[in-house]
Amino acid sequence: METTVKVKFWEFLREQGLRQTAQREAILDLFLDSGGHISPESLFNTVKRAHPHIGYSTVYRTLKLLAQSGLAQEVHFHEDQTLYDRKSEQHDHLVCVRCGRVVEFQFESVERLQSEIARQQGFLPQRRKFEIYGLCRECQQRTA
Amino acid sequence: METTVKVKFWEFLREQGLRQTAQREAILDLFLDSGGHISPESLFNTVKRAHPHIGYSTVYRTLKLLAQSGLAQEVHFHEDQTLYDRKSEQHDHLVCVRCGRVVEFQFESVERLQSEIARQQGFLPQRRKFEIYGLCRECQQRTA
DNA sequence: ATAGATGCAAATGTTTTGCAGGAAA
DNA sequence: TTTCCTGCAAAACATTTGCATCTAT
C-alpha cells in the first residue's frame, strides 16, 4: 500500500514533465518509512548509506517536490528546523517539550472552532496550525 | 501605563544583575510602540534612527532578554523569521496569507479544547500554538 | 538528442559569538 | 574598579542556487 503513494508521486512527476530517478526513489522510500516528521538532515544521513555521493541539495529539492505533490507537508515544531510530515487529512499535534515526541490528533471540534472564529473575524480560513506543547506521560513521570 | 511595563523590565534586569542602558530602553520603547509582532530587522532599522551605531547583535540580545523577562514572546508566522509579540494572556492568531495582517483572539473554548485533548492523550499541556491562516476581509474582496 | 537531474561549492539570510574598547554599577 | 555592554566582524546554521556534468526519456 505504500506502493500506491509511490505511484502517486511518479504520476505527479510525469504530469510535471519531471523524471523518475534512483535518488528520488530512495528519498521517497525513507520518507515513507519514517512514518512522518523527518528532518532533511536525518534523511540525508540515512540516504547516504545507499547513495554515498548524494548531496544535501538533492534531498532538499526532493522534499520540496514531495510537498508540492501534496504527499508531504512542512512543519516547524522546533523553531529553526523544518520537518516533513506525511500529509493525510488535516490533523494537529501534541509535542513533548522534553523528548520531542509528536502525537497526532484529529478532533471535529477543532475544525468547528476554526470556522467559527474565522467567521466572526471576517476571515476566510485556509489552513491552520494547532500545536499543544507539554510533557508526555513518560516525561511527566521522569520529572515528578 | 507603558511605564509599568518598562519598570518591570528594569526590575528584571536588576534581579539578574544586568544593566539599564540607553540602547535597551530604545529597543523596549519601540517594541512597546509597535503593539506587538515586530521583527528584529524592522526594529533594527527603526532604532538606527536614534542610535545610528547600534548593532544587530544588541537588538537580538535585547529581544532575547525581553522574552526571558516574560514581556515578549517569540512567534513564527512566516517560517523563516522570528517575530516578537507582546506577551499578555495566552492568545491565538489569525494570519492573513496575502497581506500578512495578524489579528489576535482569545476564546475560552480554545483553552478548554486544549485541556481536553491533552488529558485524553496523557499530556501535561504547557503552551500552545493555534494559528488560523487565510484571507482577511479586505483581501477576500480584492481577490473575488 | 534534449530537457532535466545531480553533486559540488559557493551564496544566502537569519541569528549567534568572540573580542577589544566603552559604560553602568 | 569591576562586571557587564556594545559594536563590529566573523562564525554558525539551515537552506538555496549556479554550474558543469551526467542521465532519464
PDB file of all heavy atoms in Angstrom, chain C residues 3-16:
ATOM      1  P    DA C   3      15.298  20.931 -25.416  1.00  0.00           P
ATOM      2  OP1  DA C   3      14.287  21.388 -26.380  1.00  0.00           O
ATOM      3  OP2  DA C   3      16.631  21.576 -25.348  1.00  0.00           O
ATOM      4  O5'  DA C   3      14.655  20.969 -23.961  1.00  0.00           O
ATOM      5  C5'  DA C   3      13.418  20.312 -23.759  1.00  0.00           C
ATOM      6  C4'  DA C   3      13.491  19.493 -22.490  1.00  0.00           C
ATOM      7  O4'  DA C   3      14.658  18.631 -22.487  1.00  0.00           O
ATOM      8  C3'  DA C   3      13.559  20.336 -21.219  1.00  0.00           C
ATOM      9  O3'  DA C   3      12.552  19.867 -20.355  1.00  0.00           O
ATOM     10  C2'  DA C   3      14.971  20.102 -20.678  1.00  0.00           C
ATOM     11  C1'  DA C   3      15.320  18.723 -21.233  1.00  0.00           C
ATOM     12  N9   DA C   3      16.741  18.525 -21.484  1.00  0.00           N
ATOM     13  C8   DA C   3      17.601  19.369 -22.135  1.00  0.00           C
ATOM     14  N7   DA C   3      18.833  18.905 -22.210  1.00  0.00           N
ATOM     15  C5   DA C   3      18.781  17.685 -21.572  1.00  0.00           C
ATOM     16  C6   DA C   3      19.757  16.700 -21.317  1.00  0.00           C
ATOM     17  N6   DA C   3      21.030  16.817 -21.698  1.00  0.00           N
ATOM     18  N1   DA C   3      19.362  15.596 -20.649  1.00  0.00           N
ATOM     19  C2   DA C   3      18.086  15.479 -20.269  1.00  0.00           C
ATOM     20  N3   DA C   3      17.078  16.340 -20.456  1.00  0.00           N
ATOM     21  C4   DA C   3      17.494  17.429 -21.116  1.00  0.00           C
ATOM     22  P    DG C   4      12.153  20.663 -19.078  1.00  0.00           P
ATOM     23  OP1  DG C   4      10.704  20.769 -19.036  1.00  0.00           O
ATOM     24  OP2  DG C   4      13.039  21.858 -19.013  1.00  0.00           O
ATOM     25  O5'  DG C   4      12.586  19.636 -17.954  1.00  0.00           O
ATOM     26  C5'  DG C   4      13.730  18.899 -18.199  1.00  0.00           C
ATOM     27  C4'  DG C   4      13.852  17.751 -17.251  1.00  0.00           C
ATOM     28  O4'  DG C   4      15.113  17.166 -17.559  1.00  0.00           O
ATOM     29  C3'  DG C   4      13.952  18.214 -15.797  1.00  0.00           C
ATOM     30  O3'  DG C   4      13.680  17.106 -14.953  1.00  0.00           O
ATOM     31  C2'  DG C   4      15.401  18.635 -15.728  1.00  0.00           C
ATOM     32  C1'  DG C   4      16.078  17.591 -16.610  1.00  0.00           C
ATOM     33  N9   DG C   4      17.232  18.125 -17.330  1.00  0.00           N
ATOM     34  C8   DG C   4      17.348  19.285 -18.058  1.00  0.00           C
ATOM     35  N7   DG C   4      18.548  19.469 -18.543  1.00  0.00           N
ATOM     36  C5   DG C   4      19.266  18.358 -18.111  1.00  0.00           C
ATOM     37  C6   DG C   4      20.615  17.994 -18.320  1.00  0.00           C
ATOM     38  O6   DG C   4      21.481  18.605 -18.961  1.00  0.00           O
ATOM     39  N1   DG C   4      20.930  16.792 -17.708  1.00  0.00           N
ATOM     40  C2   DG C   4      20.034  16.024 -16.983  1.00  0.00           C
ATOM     41  N2   DG C   4      20.511  14.905 -16.469  1.00  0.00           N
ATOM     42  N3   DG C   4      18.777  16.346 -16.784  1.00  0.00           N
ATOM     43  C4   DG C   4      18.456  17.530 -17.371  1.00  0.00           C
ATOM     44  P    DA C   5      13.863  17.250 -13.377  1.00  0.00           P
ATOM     45  OP1  DA C   5      12.865  16.361 -12.767  1.00  0.00           O
ATOM     46  OP2  DA C   5      13.944  18.678 -13.033  1.00  0.00           O
ATOM     47  O5'  DA C   5      15.297  16.597 -13.152  1.00  0.00           O
ATOM     48  C5'  DA C   5      15.454  15.192 -13.339  1.00  0.00           C
ATOM     49  C4'  DA C   5      16.730  14.739 -12.662  1.00  0.00           C
ATOM     50  O4'  DA C   5      17.845  15.276 -13.381  1.00  0.00           O
ATOM     51  C3'  DA C   5      16.872  15.209 -11.216  1.00  0.00           C
ATOM     52  O3'  DA C   5      17.324  14.095 -10.474  1.00  0.00           O
ATOM     53  C2'  DA C   5      17.871  16.342 -11.277  1.00  0.00           C
ATOM     54  C1'  DA C   5      18.695  15.993 -12.506  1.00  0.00           C
ATOM     55  N9   DA C   5      19.155  17.151 -13.274  1.00  0.00           N
ATOM     56  C8   DA C   5      18.411  18.227 -13.678  1.00  0.00           C
ATOM     57  N7   DA C   5      19.098  19.098 -14.382  1.00  0.00           N
ATOM     58  C5   DA C   5      20.367  18.554 -14.437  1.00  0.00           C
ATOM     59  C6   DA C   5      21.560  18.983 -15.040  1.00  0.00           C
ATOM     60  N6   DA C   5      21.645  20.125 -15.731  1.00  0.00           N
ATOM     61  N1   DA C   5      22.646  18.200 -14.906  1.00  0.00           N
ATOM     62  C2   DA C   5      22.548  17.066 -14.222  1.00  0.00           C
ATOM     63  N3   DA C   5      21.477  16.549 -13.616  1.00  0.00           N
ATOM     64  C4   DA C   5      20.423  17.351 -13.763  1.00  0.00           C
ATOM     65  P    DT C   6      17.757  14.257  -8.980  1.00  0.00           P
ATOM     66  OP1  DT C   6      17.507  12.956  -8.330  1.00  0.00           O
ATOM     67  OP2  DT C   6      17.189  15.495  -8.438  1.00  0.00           O
ATOM     68  O5'  DT C   6      19.322  14.429  -9.159  1.00  0.00           O
ATOM     69  C5'  DT C   6      20.072  13.308  -9.641  1.00  0.00           C
ATOM     70  C4'  DT C   6      21.549  13.627  -9.577  1.00  0.00           C
ATOM     71  O4'  DT C   6      21.800  14.758 -10.426  1.00  0.00           O
ATOM     72  C3'  DT C   6      22.008  14.020  -8.176  1.00  0.00           C
ATOM     73  O3'  DT C   6      23.024  13.110  -7.776  1.00  0.00           O
ATOM     74  C2'  DT C   6      22.573  15.434  -8.324  1.00  0.00           C
ATOM     75  C1'  DT C   6      22.754  15.585  -9.825  1.00  0.00           C
ATOM     76  N1   DT C   6      22.479  16.935 -10.355  1.00  0.00           N
ATOM     77  C2   DT C   6      23.459  17.573 -11.068  1.00  0.00           C
ATOM     78  O2   DT C   6      24.564  17.099 -11.260  1.00  0.00           O
ATOM     79  N3   DT C   6      23.102  18.814 -11.543  1.00  0.00           N
ATOM     80  C4   DT C   6      21.887  19.455 -11.390  1.00  0.00           C
ATOM     81  O4   DT C   6      21.693  20.562 -11.876  1.00  0.00           O
ATOM     82  C5   DT C   6      20.904  18.731 -10.643  1.00  0.00           C
ATOM     83  C7   DT C   6      19.551  19.325 -10.412  1.00  0.00           C
ATOM     84  C6   DT C   6      21.244  17.525 -10.167  1.00  0.00           C
ATOM     85  P    DG C   7      23.424  13.002  -6.258  1.00  0.00           P
ATOM     86  OP1  DG C   7      23.817  11.606  -5.965  1.00  0.00           O
ATOM     87  OP2  DG C   7      22.400  13.669  -5.426  1.00  0.00           O
ATOM     88  O5'  DG C   7      24.725  13.915  -6.268  1.00  0.00           O
ATOM     89  C5'  DG C   7      25.871  13.473  -6.984  1.00  0.00           C
ATOM     90  C4'  DG C   7      26.941  14.546  -6.921  1.00  0.00           C
ATOM     91  O4'  DG C   7      26.454  15.733  -7.593  1.00  0.00           O
ATOM     92  C3'  DG C   7      27.323  14.979  -5.511  1.00  0.00           C
ATOM     93  O3'  DG C   7      28.739  15.088  -5.466  1.00  0.00           O
ATOM     94  C2'  DG C   7      26.641  16.339  -5.349  1.00  0.00           C
ATOM     95  C1'  DG C   7      26.633  16.861  -6.765  1.00  0.00           C
ATOM     96  N9   DG C   7      25.537  17.775  -7.099  1.00  0.00           N
ATOM     97  C8   DG C   7      24.241  17.728  -6.639  1.00  0.00           C
ATOM     98  N7   DG C   7      23.487  18.667  -7.142  1.00  0.00           N
ATOM     99  C5   DG C   7      24.331  19.378  -7.987  1.00  0.00           C
ATOM    100  C6   DG C   7      24.067  20.516  -8.803  1.00  0.00           C
ATOM    101  O6   DG C   7      23.009  21.122  -8.957  1.00  0.00           O
ATOM    102  N1   DG C   7      25.199  20.918  -9.503  1.00  0.00           N
ATOM    103  C2   DG C   7      26.431  20.316  -9.421  1.00  0.00           C
ATOM    104  N2   DG C   7      27.395  20.844 -10.153  1.00  0.00           N
ATOM    105  N3   DG C   7      26.685  19.253  -8.657  1.00  0.00           N
ATOM    106  C4   DG C   7      25.592  18.845  -7.972  1.00  0.00           C
ATOM    107  P    DC C   8      29.480  15.023  -4.060  1.00  0.00           P
ATOM    108  OP1  DC C   8      30.493  13.967  -4.169  1.00  0.00           O
ATOM    109  OP2  DC C   8      28.489  15.000  -2.957  1.00  0.00           O
ATOM    110  O5'  DC C   8      30.235  16.438  -4.037  1.00  0.00           O
ATOM    111  C5'  DC C   8      31.080  16.789  -5.127  1.00  0.00           C
ATOM    112  C4'  DC C   8      31.030  18.294  -5.347  1.00  0.00           C
ATOM    113  O4'  DC C   8      29.711  18.703  -5.752  1.00  0.00           O
ATOM    114  C3'  DC C   8      31.322  19.127  -4.105  1.00  0.00           C
ATOM    115  O3'  DC C   8      32.684  19.555  -4.135  1.00  0.00           O
ATOM    116  C2'  DC C   8      30.349  20.314  -4.186  1.00  0.00           C
ATOM    117  C1'  DC C   8      29.655  20.095  -5.534  1.00  0.00           C
ATOM    118  N1   DC C   8      28.238  20.500  -5.508  1.00  0.00           N
ATOM    119  C2   DC C   8      27.822  21.506  -6.377  1.00  0.00           C
ATOM    120  O2   DC C   8      28.635  22.030  -7.138  1.00  0.00           O
ATOM    121  N3   DC C   8      26.515  21.892  -6.363  1.00  0.00           N
ATOM    122  C4   DC C   8      25.657  21.308  -5.527  1.00  0.00           C
ATOM    123  N4   DC C   8      24.390  21.710  -5.552  1.00  0.00           N
ATOM    124  C5   DC C   8      26.064  20.277  -4.631  1.00  0.00           C
ATOM    125  C6   DC C   8      27.360  19.906  -4.652  1.00  0.00           C
ATOM    126  P    DA C   9      33.297  20.286  -2.822  1.00  0.00           P
ATOM    127  OP1  DA C   9      34.684  19.793  -2.667  1.00  0.00           O
ATOM    128  OP2  DA C   9      32.345  20.189  -1.697  1.00  0.00           O
ATOM    129  O5'  DA C   9      33.327  21.788  -3.325  1.00  0.00           O
ATOM    130  C5'  DA C   9      33.208  22.081  -4.726  1.00  0.00           C
ATOM    131  C4'  DA C   9      32.861  23.545  -4.896  1.00  0.00           C
ATOM    132  O4'  DA C   9      31.419  23.693  -4.971  1.00  0.00           O
ATOM    133  C3'  DA C   9      33.305  24.436  -3.739  1.00  0.00           C
ATOM    134  O3'  DA C   9      33.701  25.692  -4.261  1.00  0.00           O
ATOM    135  C2'  DA C   9      32.056  24.520  -2.870  1.00  0.00           C
ATOM    136  C1'  DA C   9      30.954  24.523  -3.924  1.00  0.00           C
ATOM    137  N9   DA C   9      29.674  23.988  -3.455  1.00  0.00           N
ATOM    138  C8   DA C   9      29.471  22.996  -2.532  1.00  0.00           C
ATOM    139  N7   DA C   9      28.199  22.730  -2.305  1.00  0.00           N
ATOM    140  C5   DA C   9      27.528  23.604  -3.141  1.00  0.00           C
ATOM    141  C6   DA C   9      26.159  23.825  -3.379  1.00  0.00           C
ATOM    142  N6   DA C   9      25.176  23.150  -2.773  1.00  0.00           N
ATOM    143  N1   DA C   9      25.833  24.785  -4.280  1.00  0.00           N
ATOM    144  C2   DA C   9      26.809  25.461  -4.892  1.00  0.00           C
ATOM    145  N3   DA C   9      28.132  25.342  -4.753  1.00  0.00           N
ATOM    146  C4   DA C   9      28.416  24.389  -3.852  1.00  0.00           C
ATOM    147  P    DA C  10      34.207  26.844  -3.224  1.00  0.00           P
ATOM    148  OP1  DA C  10      35.508  27.300  -3.760  1.00  0.00           O
ATOM    149  OP2  DA C  10      34.092  26.354  -1.820  1.00  0.00           O
ATOM    150  O5'  DA C  10      33.147  28.003  -3.452  1.00  0.00           O
ATOM    151  C5'  DA C  10      32.692  28.272  -4.792  1.00  0.00           C
ATOM    152  C4'  DA C  10      31.448  29.138  -4.714  1.00  0.00           C
ATOM    153  O4'  DA C  10      30.319  28.333  -4.295  1.00  0.00           O
ATOM    154  C3'  DA C  10      31.568  30.285  -3.706  1.00  0.00           C
ATOM    155  O3'  DA C  10      31.027  31.457  -4.284  1.00  0.00           O
ATOM    156  C2'  DA C  10      30.758  29.783  -2.510  1.00  0.00           C
ATOM    157  C1'  DA C  10      29.665  28.964  -3.204  1.00  0.00           C
ATOM    158  N9   DA C  10      29.030  27.941  -2.363  1.00  0.00           N
ATOM    159  C8   DA C  10      29.648  27.068  -1.506  1.00  0.00           C
ATOM    160  N7   DA C  10      28.803  26.262  -0.879  1.00  0.00           N
ATOM    161  C5   DA C  10      27.568  26.641  -1.367  1.00  0.00           C
ATOM    162  C6   DA C  10      26.264  26.169  -1.099  1.00  0.00           C
ATOM    163  N6   DA C  10      26.004  25.179  -0.246  1.00  0.00           N
ATOM    164  N1   DA C  10      25.249  26.749  -1.760  1.00  0.00           N
ATOM    165  C2   DA C  10      25.517  27.754  -2.622  1.00  0.00           C
ATOM    166  N3   DA C  10      26.699  28.278  -2.953  1.00  0.00           N
ATOM    167  C4   DA C  10      27.690  27.672  -2.284  1.00  0.00           C
ATOM    168  P    DA C  11      30.780  32.773  -3.392  1.00  0.00           P
ATOM    169  OP1  DA C  11      31.085  33.937  -4.245  1.00  0.00           O
ATOM    170  OP2  DA C  11      31.442  32.568  -2.088  1.00  0.00           O
ATOM    171  O5'  DA C  11      29.203  32.774  -3.171  1.00  0.00           O
ATOM    172  C5'  DA C  11      28.361  32.820  -4.319  1.00  0.00           C
ATOM    173  C4'  DA C  11      26.920  32.934  -3.849  1.00  0.00           C
ATOM    174  O4'  DA C  11      26.572  31.757  -3.096  1.00  0.00           O
ATOM    175  C3'  DA C  11      26.643  34.126  -2.928  1.00  0.00           C
ATOM    176  O3'  DA C  11      25.426  34.715  -3.337  1.00  0.00           O
ATOM    177  C2'  DA C  11      26.555  33.493  -1.538  1.00  0.00           C
ATOM    178  C1'  DA C  11      25.984  32.122  -1.863  1.00  0.00           C
ATOM    179  N9   DA C  11      26.285  31.058  -0.897  1.00  0.00           N
ATOM    180  C8   DA C  11      27.512  30.699  -0.416  1.00  0.00           C
ATOM    181  N7   DA C  11      27.472  29.686   0.439  1.00  0.00           N
ATOM    182  C5   DA C  11      26.123  29.365   0.508  1.00  0.00           C
ATOM    183  C6   DA C  11      25.421  28.386   1.233  1.00  0.00           C
ATOM    184  N6   DA C  11      26.010  27.514   2.053  1.00  0.00           N
ATOM    185  N1   DA C  11      24.082  28.335   1.080  1.00  0.00           N
ATOM    186  C2   DA C  11      23.498  29.210   0.246  1.00  0.00           C
ATOM    187  N3   DA C  11      24.051  30.175  -0.484  1.00  0.00           N
ATOM    188  C4   DA C  11      25.382  30.195  -0.309  1.00  0.00           C
ATOM    189  P    DT C  12      24.975  36.150  -2.715  1.00  0.00           P
ATOM    190  OP1  DT C  12      24.478  36.930  -3.857  1.00  0.00           O
ATOM    191  OP2  DT C  12      26.055  36.628  -1.816  1.00  0.00           O
ATOM    192  O5'  DT C  12      23.737  35.795  -1.787  1.00  0.00           O
ATOM    193  C5'  DT C  12      23.007  34.619  -2.035  1.00  0.00           C
ATOM    194  C4'  DT C  12      21.989  34.334  -0.953  1.00  0.00           C
ATOM    195  O4'  DT C  12      22.503  33.215  -0.184  1.00  0.00           O
ATOM    196  C3'  DT C  12      21.680  35.443   0.042  1.00  0.00           C
ATOM    197  O3'  DT C  12      20.325  35.832  -0.138  1.00  0.00           O
ATOM    198  C2'  DT C  12      21.871  34.800   1.423  1.00  0.00           C
ATOM    199  C1'  DT C  12      22.078  33.324   1.138  1.00  0.00           C
ATOM    200  N1   DT C  12      23.124  32.608   1.930  1.00  0.00           N
ATOM    201  C2   DT C  12      22.727  31.553   2.734  1.00  0.00           C
ATOM    202  O2   DT C  12      21.574  31.204   2.856  1.00  0.00           O
ATOM    203  N3   DT C  12      23.755  30.924   3.403  1.00  0.00           N
ATOM    204  C4   DT C  12      25.094  31.229   3.339  1.00  0.00           C
ATOM    205  O4   DT C  12      25.910  30.575   3.983  1.00  0.00           O
ATOM    206  C5   DT C  12      25.432  32.342   2.472  1.00  0.00           C
ATOM    207  C7   DT C  12      26.871  32.756   2.332  1.00  0.00           C
ATOM    208  C6   DT C  12      24.441  32.981   1.811  1.00  0.00           C
ATOM    209  P    DG C  13      19.804  37.219   0.455  1.00  0.00           P
ATOM    210  OP1  DG C  13      18.668  37.643  -0.386  1.00  0.00           O
ATOM    211  OP2  DG C  13      20.957  38.129   0.689  1.00  0.00           O
ATOM    212  O5'  DG C  13      19.240  36.761   1.868  1.00  0.00           O
ATOM    213  C5'  DG C  13      18.279  35.715   1.913  1.00  0.00           C
ATOM    214  C4'  DG C  13      17.977  35.383   3.349  1.00  0.00           C
ATOM    215  O4'  DG C  13      19.008  34.507   3.864  1.00  0.00           O
ATOM    216  C3'  DG C  13      17.953  36.615   4.261  1.00  0.00           C
ATOM    217  O3'  DG C  13      16.847  36.500   5.135  1.00  0.00           O
ATOM    218  C2'  DG C  13      19.262  36.536   5.017  1.00  0.00           C
ATOM    219  C1'  DG C  13      19.539  35.041   5.060  1.00  0.00           C
ATOM    220  N9   DG C  13      20.963  34.712   5.108  1.00  0.00           N
ATOM    221  C8   DG C  13      21.978  35.381   4.489  1.00  0.00           C
ATOM    222  N7   DG C  13      23.158  34.851   4.726  1.00  0.00           N
ATOM    223  C5   DG C  13      22.888  33.773   5.538  1.00  0.00           C
ATOM    224  C6   DG C  13      23.762  32.818   6.121  1.00  0.00           C
ATOM    225  O6   DG C  13      24.988  32.732   6.020  1.00  0.00           O
ATOM    226  N1   DG C  13      23.071  31.886   6.893  1.00  0.00           N
ATOM    227  C2   DG C  13      21.712  31.869   7.077  1.00  0.00           C
ATOM    228  N2   DG C  13      21.225  30.908   7.843  1.00  0.00           N
ATOM    229  N3   DG C  13      20.887  32.750   6.540  1.00  0.00           N
ATOM    230  C4   DG C  13      21.538  33.676   5.790  1.00  0.00           C
ATOM    231  P    DT C  14      16.524  37.651   6.196  1.00  0.00           P
ATOM    232  OP1  DT C  14      15.078  37.937   6.095  1.00  0.00           O
ATOM    233  OP2  DT C  14      17.517  38.746   6.065  1.00  0.00           O
ATOM    234  O5'  DT C  14      16.792  36.904   7.569  1.00  0.00           O
ATOM    235  C5'  DT C  14      16.206  35.629   7.751  1.00  0.00           C
ATOM    236  C4'  DT C  14      16.825  34.946   8.947  1.00  0.00           C
ATOM    237  O4'  DT C  14      18.191  34.621   8.675  1.00  0.00           O
ATOM    238  C3'  DT C  14      16.832  35.804  10.221  1.00  0.00           C
ATOM    239  O3'  DT C  14      16.269  35.029  11.264  1.00  0.00           O
ATOM    240  C2'  DT C  14      18.318  36.096  10.449  1.00  0.00           C
ATOM    241  C1'  DT C  14      18.970  34.874   9.826  1.00  0.00           C
ATOM    242  N1   DT C  14      20.386  35.045   9.389  1.00  0.00           N
ATOM    243  C2   DT C  14      21.333  34.127   9.821  1.00  0.00           C
ATOM    244  O2   DT C  14      21.069  33.183  10.544  1.00  0.00           O
ATOM    245  N3   DT C  14      22.609  34.355   9.362  1.00  0.00           N
ATOM    246  C4   DT C  14      23.026  35.385   8.541  1.00  0.00           C
ATOM    247  O4   DT C  14      24.197  35.483   8.208  1.00  0.00           O
ATOM    248  C5   DT C  14      21.985  36.304   8.128  1.00  0.00           C
ATOM    249  C7   DT C  14      22.335  37.449   7.241  1.00  0.00           C
ATOM    250  C6   DT C  14      20.737  36.093   8.561  1.00  0.00           C
ATOM    251  P    DT C  15      15.878  35.706  12.661  1.00  0.00           P
ATOM    252  OP1  DT C  15      14.735  34.948  13.176  1.00  0.00           O
ATOM    253  OP2  DT C  15      15.816  37.174  12.523  1.00  0.00           O
ATOM    254  O5'  DT C  15      17.140  35.303  13.562  1.00  0.00           O
ATOM    255  C5'  DT C  15      17.354  33.924  13.830  1.00  0.00           C
ATOM    256  C4'  DT C  15      18.738  33.707  14.391  1.00  0.00           C
ATOM    257  O4'  DT C  15      19.729  34.175  13.464  1.00  0.00           O
ATOM    258  C3'  DT C  15      19.025  34.458  15.701  1.00  0.00           C
ATOM    259  O3'  DT C  15      19.257  33.473  16.704  1.00  0.00           O
ATOM    260  C2'  DT C  15      20.255  35.295  15.403  1.00  0.00           C
ATOM    261  C1'  DT C  15      20.856  34.579  14.209  1.00  0.00           C
ATOM    262  N1   DT C  15      21.710  35.398  13.329  1.00  0.00           N
ATOM    263  C2   DT C  15      23.018  35.001  13.132  1.00  0.00           C
ATOM    264  O2   DT C  15      23.498  34.022  13.649  1.00  0.00           O
ATOM    265  N3   DT C  15      23.754  35.816  12.296  1.00  0.00           N
ATOM    266  C4   DT C  15      23.314  36.958  11.659  1.00  0.00           C
ATOM    267  O4   DT C  15      24.078  37.604  10.936  1.00  0.00           O
ATOM    268  C5   DT C  15      21.931  37.320  11.899  1.00  0.00           C
ATOM    269  C7   DT C  15      21.354  38.547  11.263  1.00  0.00           C
ATOM    270  C6   DT C  15      21.207  36.533  12.706  1.00  0.00           C
ATOM    271  P    DT C  16      19.743  33.842  18.163  1.00  0.00           P
ATOM    272  OP1  DT C  16      19.211  32.826  19.082  1.00  0.00           O
ATOM    273  OP2  DT C  16      19.478  35.280  18.378  1.00  0.00           O
ATOM    274  O5'  DT C  16      21.321  33.622  18.053  1.00  0.00           O
ATOM    275  C5'  DT C  16      21.797  32.382  17.585  1.00  0.00           C
ATOM    276  C4'  DT C  16      23.304  32.327  17.694  1.00  0.00           C
ATOM    277  O4'  DT C  16      23.888  33.220  16.728  1.00  0.00           O
ATOM    278  C3'  DT C  16      23.859  32.755  19.057  1.00  0.00           C
ATOM    279  O3'  DT C  16      24.756  31.735  19.468  1.00  0.00           O
ATOM    280  C2'  DT C  16      24.554  34.089  18.789  1.00  0.00           C
ATOM    281  C1'  DT C  16      24.937  33.949  17.327  1.00  0.00           C
ATOM    282  N1   DT C  16      25.027  35.204  16.547  1.00  0.00           N
ATOM    283  C2   DT C  16      26.188  35.472  15.855  1.00  0.00           C
ATOM    284  O2   DT C  16      27.158  34.757  15.872  1.00  0.00           O
ATOM    285  N3   DT C  16      26.161  36.632  15.126  1.00  0.00           N
ATOM    286  C4   DT C  16      25.125  37.533  15.022  1.00  0.00           C
ATOM    287  O4   DT C  16      25.226  38.532  14.321  1.00  0.00           O
ATOM    288  C5   DT C  16      23.942  37.196  15.775  1.00  0.00           C
ATOM    289  C7   DT C  16      22.761  38.103  15.741  1.00  0.00           C
ATOM    290  C6   DT C  16      23.946  36.062  16.491  1.00  0.00           C
TER     291       DT C  16
END
